[in-house]
Amino acid sequence: YHGVHLSPCGNMVLCLGCMSNGREMVKVRTEQIAIIDDDERALMHKSAGLRDAGFINVETYRSPVKFVRRVAQQSPPDLIITDMQMDPITGLEMLDELSEIGVKSRHALLVSQADRPAGYSGDYLKKPALTEDYISHLVAAVQGLLGLQ
């Protein structure tokens, strides 16, 4: 039981695991998601979009090296979404390092058409402009990767 809230349309709602994103009531999702991207604006846009969709455990990292250190010390998230082109290591190199220390989390690379590495057989998320349509696509992709659809 989370309390009684006003829904976006003004009705009182008994909340048992939901939240309002300002437009609608959404189911609270507790899966842990980590987003790694060295572009702070893109990182904040993606994480805010996922939180608005009910994903309350979204961690953000601008450094792939710091994220690898975090995972080495704590349990890994359920889903890792990482940009491909970052410094000092790429998203693919980061995923390789995580694999070497035994991390088996679902993951997806954020790529442009030119970024797709040869031989990578994992999941991709297209990296377009930061628009509402993109956030809807991102939320649907995350739900699919986590088996929530």
Side-chain angles (χ1 to χ4, degrees):
Y1 171 71
H2 291 209
V4 176
H5 305 281
L6 280 178
S7 71
C9 62
N11 295 326
M12 295 291 272
V13 177
L14 180 64
C15 180
L16 300 171
C18 60
M19 62 184 246
S20 173
N21 63 12
R23 296 179 304 278
E24 61 186 342
M25 297 302 284
V26 293
K27 182 175 173 141
V28 171
R29 305 297 325 185
T30 58
E31 294 82 3
Q32 294 181 339
I33 301 170
I35 306 172
I36 304 89
D37 194 329
D38 56 355
D39 179 340
E40 186 167 359
R41 181 173 167 259
L43 186 65
M44 294 302 113
H45 192 73
K46 292 173 200 137
S47 63
L50 289 173
R51 286 186 182 105
D52 282 352
F55 292 96
I56 60 171
N57 292 323
V58 179
E59 297 178 355
T60 59
Y61 296 85
R62 290 189 62 203
S63 166
V65 173
K66 286 182 182 175
F67 178 69
V68 171
R69 281 192 212 126
R70 176 265 193 223
V71 171
Q73 297 171 355
Q74 301 174 13
S75 61
D78 299 304
L79 177 63
I80 299 166
I81 300 171
T82 182
D83 191 18
M84 177 60 190
Q85 297 300 326
M86 296 183 289
D87 286 320
I89 61 174
T90 67
L92 191 57
E93 291 167 334
M94 181 196 72
L95 292 174
D96 287 344
E97 286 188 23
L98 292 172
S99 180
E100 288 175 13
I101 62 172
V103 173
K104 295 180 181 0
S105 299
R106 293 290 315 248
H107 59 270
L109 279 176
L110 291 165
V111 296
S112 65
Q113 198 63 27
D115 286 342
R116 290 186 179 212
Y120 175 72
S121 61
D123 292 306
Y124 290 101
L125 293 176
K126 197 173 174 185
K127 187 174 156 181
L130 299 175
T131 64
E132 285 296 319
D133 288 342
Y134 173 67
I135 294 301
S136 297
H137 169 74
L138 176 65
V139 169
V142 165
Q143 290 171 335
L145 289 166
L146 291 170
L148 302 174
Q149 292 180 326

